[in-house]
Amino acid sequence: MMHFKNLLVCLLAGSSAAFAVQQPHSPIQKSSTVLRMSGGADAPPPDLKAPPALYAGAVAAGTAKAKGSWSKIFKLGVVSGAHIGFGAYLAIAVGGACPGIAASNPGLQKIIFGAFGLPFGLIMTLVSGGELFTGNTALGFAAYQEGEISFGELMKSWISSYAGNFVGSLFLAYLAYKSTTLAAGPAAAAIATAKCSLPWDVAFVRGILCNWLVCMAVYMASGCSTMIGKMTAVWFPISAFVALGLDHSVANMFIIPLGMLRGAEVTLSQFFLKNLIPVTLGNIVGGALCVMAPFGTTFGGWGKKKE
């Protein structure tokens, strides 16, 4: 336990230098065609983009994200890691504190665990312009496949957002632990132990299925022009993945360290080798291939010869 706490303190201390104030650069936004009501250019934007425009918007978003600097992506990644951590924190505090319901009606307990927590964490990330690794696996890969960014820029987007998410998640896990708001509840430790007890292939597949739903939430929300539209697009897929017991790498960056701090018999090697690595790889497959490949080969230029 002392080794983990020392590692946590070193990671948090080492990230502070990345928060030097910089003037933001406004990315060039590409216009995309959307369906509009009659009335011409003065008509308000539609509540939901048409499918081709939805895909074009996703490519533009992935391009803009990947063009950002390492420090910008990292800083916004730290914030997003904390946002997702807050969602997991609430899920554990509410859905993880219903032992009576879990015993008498496990299905109801699962939907409570899913509905109260992670959806609001992703909404905070999307509305505030954060950088979430799992969403970037889809948006960034689409931009790369369309030739809008280089492979190096794709890796910059993934690596810097992943590192930022990790630091933000650890930071919030430590604060949640010190706050003692979970009292003596065993949920955090039990969840961490269960996640690190999965066979490698099971964790990998759960990562695929999870990010399939997460990236569909991100993809659909990007095509909505209203807050209620974005919230609806996020709520159903995110609550579904949590209720189904699937694995999200960034959420696990919060949940498992919190469980370790609260007494879970999990080592650092088990955390990384038995959960975080296979889940991360599964998340990449789920976002890049399961979500974006069908739309890219239908509405984009994937696999098509360049003129």
Side-chain angles (χ1 to χ4, degrees), residues 43-58:
D47 289 341
L48 180 65
K49 293 178 181 178
L54 182 58
Y55 174 75

Side-chain angles (χ1 to χ4, degrees), residues 31-275:
S31 61
S32 59
T33 304
V34 296
L35 294 178
R36 294 185 179 276
M37 302 293 290
S38 59
D42 295 330
D47 289 341
L48 180 65
K49 293 178 181 178
L54 182 58
Y55 174 75
V59 172
T63 301
K65 286 175 172 292
K67 296 292 184 181
S69 66
W70 283 88
S71 61
K72 175 184 177 182
I73 298 171
F74 176 80
K75 286 186 284 187
L76 293 176
V78 172
V79 174
S80 293
H83 288 166
I84 299 301
F86 269 118
Y89 189 9
L90 179 61
I92 293 171
V94 177
C98 307
I101 296 176
S104 62
N105 193 338
L108 178 60
Q109 187 272 335
K110 288 179 180 179
I111 196 61
I112 292 173
F113 192 83
F116 295 95
L118 266 298
F120 102 85
L122 183 57
I123 289 169
M124 287 196 295
T125 290
L126 295 180
V127 173
S128 64
E131 291 284 351
L132 186 63
F133 165 75
T134 46
N136 288 352
T137 63
L139 302 180
F141 193 69
Y144 171 69
Q145 286 294 102
E146 296 294 344
E148 298 296 330
I149 62 173
S150 66
F151 182 75
E153 289 172 323
L154 176 64
M155 290 298 99
K156 176 182 64 176
S157 172
W158 286 5
I159 293 171
S160 53
S161 61
Y162 192 87
N165 292 166
F166 192 63
V167 171
S169 298
L170 287 179
F171 178 63
L172 196 75
Y174 183 71
L175 292 181
Y177 167 69
K178 293 296 289 184
S179 74
T180 71
T181 55
L182 297 176
I191 294 171
T193 301
K195 286 183 176 294
C196 292
S197 301
L198 296 173
W200 201 96
D201 60 329
V202 173
F204 175 71
V205 171
R206 289 188 182 184
I208 294 175
L209 295 173
C210 170
N211 212 32
W212 193 333
L213 291 174
V214 170
C215 288
M216 280 305 303
V218 172
Y219 187 71
M220 293 188 297
S222 70
C224 299
S225 62
T226 65
M227 185 65 178
I228 190 64
K230 292 181 183 295
M231 292 174 66
T232 303
V234 165
W235 191 85
F236 286 99
I238 301 305
S239 61
F241 104 68
V242 179
L244 288 169
L246 305 177
D247 275 77
H248 186 267
S249 57
V250 179
N252 287 357
M253 292 173 185
F254 169 86
I255 294 171
I256 296 175
L258 177 62
M260 294 168 71
L261 288 168
R262 290 179 60 83
E265 295 296 327
V266 174
T267 65
L268 283 174
S269 62
Q270 289 173 323
F271 172 33
F272 286 102
L273 299 179
K274 298 202 67 176
N275 185 271

Side-chain angles (χ1 to χ4, degrees), residues 22-30 63-65 67-69 72:
Q22 296 180 347
Q23 292 297 323
H25 298 283
S26 299
I28 299 176
Q29 298 180 346
K30 294 186 177 181
T63 301
K65 286 175 172 292
K67 296 292 184 181
S69 66
K72 175 184 177 182

